[in-house]
Amino acid sequence: MEKFVKVHVMHTGDVKYDRALAFKQLDVIPPVNQRGQEYQELVPVSCYLIEHPNGRIVVDAGWHEDIRTQPKEHFGEDLYQFIEYRLPEGRSVREQLATKNITPQDIYAVVMTHQDEDHISGLQHLIGAKRFLVSEPEWRNCADGLIYLVFTPGHTDGHVSVLARVEKGWLLLVSDVGYAEKSWKELILPGNTVDEQQALESLQWVQYFLQRSDCVAAIANHDPSVRPVSY
């Protein structure tokens, strides 16, 4: 019997920013609301629960609950002024896992795709997980062909995407390789990159992988068209 995993998409709040942050248009990205509303984007901050036969895996951590009461202290002055953010009650990674009767101690591994604040803010809510994975050598110790980390640099130096073998094929969690489906369809770079050529090559790889007949979908972390769902 063929093995596969199940992936649950969870939205852990929202973030609002200038569109240039997601789709490269300007050399300098303006703070939120500095330009007109037609230039602003309100998008989800996603993380993922993967049910693996050998244990549960969480990919990224979304917003920490501190942003509800002390956002300036949590973000720091620069980021606090640069974006808008929202974390409704019940939507943090901790709260959503609790509704499934899952505690951090029940989690086999937490995978951090990269270290932007909206991906690691809630990591404290996952303290107690058996391991936190950020590099290939650590990942080799638990990989078995159902989950792969794919090196997709450009947005950040060490950015990775996650390939999960779900029931109907491969689900690609691209994180911030692109901020929405049009990113890889039109090869639009993220507004922030450390290496534009690498960022382009990572988008091209997503394009290529989507041509496979066994690729179920590619999901960007902040794509507003993506809804919480299970694969």
Side-chain angles (χ1 to χ4, degrees):
M1 183 176 180
E2 187 177 9
K3 291 184 177 180
F4 53 86
V5 300
K6 191 166 189 177
V7 178
H8 305 278
V9 180
M10 300 185 293
H11 286 174
T12 56
D14 305 300
V15 60
K16 183 181 179 184
Y17 47 58
D18 188 284
R19 187 178 303 161
L21 179 67
F23 309 111
K24 190 167 186 65
Q25 303 168 341
L26 305 171
D27 292 331
V28 177
I29 300 168
V32 66
N33 297 326
Q34 187 176 90
R35 299 198 290 170
Q37 285 304 306
E38 68 271 23
Y39 295 104
Q40 310 307 307
E41 298 277 354
L42 178 66
V43 301
V45 174
S46 303
C47 66
Y48 313 96
L49 170 65
I50 301 177
E51 295 189 57
H52 186 286
N54 295 329
R56 299 179 177 96
I57 297 169
V58 172
V59 179
D60 289 335
W63 292 135
H64 192 286
E65 293 164 22
D66 279 355
I67 74 167
R68 295 172 181 155
T69 56
Q70 46 186 357
K72 187 178 293 187
E73 293 85 348
H74 182 77
F75 289 126
E77 189 70 30
D78 290 344
L79 185 59
Y80 174 73
Q81 294 181 343
F82 193 78
I83 62 171
E84 289 184 5
Y85 41 83
R86 184 177 68 114
L87 180 60
E89 292 292 331
R91 305 312 297 171
S92 74
V93 64
R94 180 192 66 80
E95 292 164 332
Q96 293 198 58
L97 291 175
T99 64
K100 301 177 185 295
N101 296 315
I102 298 172
T103 69
Q105 289 73 22
D106 299 322
I107 298 168
Y108 178 71
V110 176
V111 176
M112 291 164 279
T113 61
H114 62 300
Q115 297 187 67
D116 281 358
E117 185 71 22
D118 50 336
H119 294 256
I120 66 170
S121 171
L123 278 177
Q124 279 190 319
H125 294 320
L126 300 173
I127 290 175
K130 295 178 175 62
R131 51 184 54 78
F132 289 78
L133 300 176
V134 295
S135 68
E136 184 178 356
E138 292 177 271
W139 185 252
R140 288 197 193 106
N141 293 327
C142 70
D144 60 1
L146 294 181
I147 306 288
Y148 289 96
L149 294 189
V150 182
F151 186 49
T152 49
H155 174 58
T156 62
D157 284 323
H159 190 286
V160 295
S161 299
V162 176
L163 264 179
R165 178 65 179 177
V166 297
E167 184 173 7
K168 295 183 179 180
W170 290 106
L171 180 66
L172 177 57
L173 308 178
V174 306
S175 191
D176 287 0
V177 170
Y179 275 60
E181 185 178 22
K182 73 176 185 178
S183 299
W184 50 86
K185 281 190 171 181
E186 302 176 27
L187 296 179
I188 305 173
L189 302 184
N192 276 332
T193 58
V194 296
D195 188 310
E196 289 193 2
Q197 183 58 37
Q198 286 185 333
L200 177 60
E201 290 171 359
S202 293
L203 282 173
Q204 290 171 329
W205 178 80
V206 174
Q207 265 192 350
Y208 168 78
F209 195 86
L210 277 166
Q211 294 174 13
R212 291 177 53 127
S213 60
D214 59 350
C215 181
V216 175
I219 299 177
N221 187 279
H222 302 298
D223 192 336
S225 70
V226 174
R227 297 290 180 265
V229 68
S230 299
Y231 288 86

